[in-house]
Amino acid sequence: MNHIVTVQDAVTAFEPWMEPTDAELDAIEHEMPVILADVELLDAHIVTLDRTPTELDDRRIRRARRRALAARVALVNRAAGTSLPGGAA
């Protein structure tokens, strides 16, 4: 009888490429307001999964949706303000 085992842990354990680079960490930090706003929106939706949403729940979802949209707009505006290398503008 042949046993099927995974060798992924042995192959990929402690590889230097498994850690995020400084650039990736900076990108995550740059996008953190959007991530947190999306988490808040998900939390608002999760609360209403097992019940009928009340008016308060609806307001919370609308508020979270507006915050998520505002965070995305702010991120796009910050990205548009920075110039890319090799750009013509």
Side-chain angles (χ1 to χ4, degrees), residues 7-82:
V7 294
Q8 183 175 4
D9 290 336
V11 173
T12 60
F14 304 112
E15 291 293 329
W17 53 265
M18 288 184 69
E19 296 296 322
T21 64
D22 289 338
E24 290 169 335
L25 290 174
D26 289 341
I28 292 170
E29 185 176 335
H30 187 71
E31 294 177 5
M32 191 54 70
V34 174
I35 295 168
L36 293 175
D38 285 343
V39 168
E40 184 179 342
L41 179 58
L42 284 172
D43 286 343
H45 281 291
I46 288 170
V47 167
T48 63
L49 284 178
D50 61 346
R51 63 179 180 177
T52 303
T54 64
E55 180 62 32
L56 184 63
D57 293 330
D58 289 337
R59 280 188 268 164
R60 182 177 180 208
I61 290 171
R62 283 194 306 267
R63 191 177 324 117
R65 189 176 292 136
R66 283 193 304 266
R67 286 182 186 153
L69 181 60
R72 288 180 186 278
V73 167
L75 179 66
V76 168
N77 287 339
R78 277 187 302 220
T82 60

Side-chain angles (χ1 to χ4, degrees), residues 1-9:
M1 178 194 307
N2 292 335
H3 294 285
I4 300 173
V5 296
T6 179
V7 294
Q8 183 175 4
D9 290 336

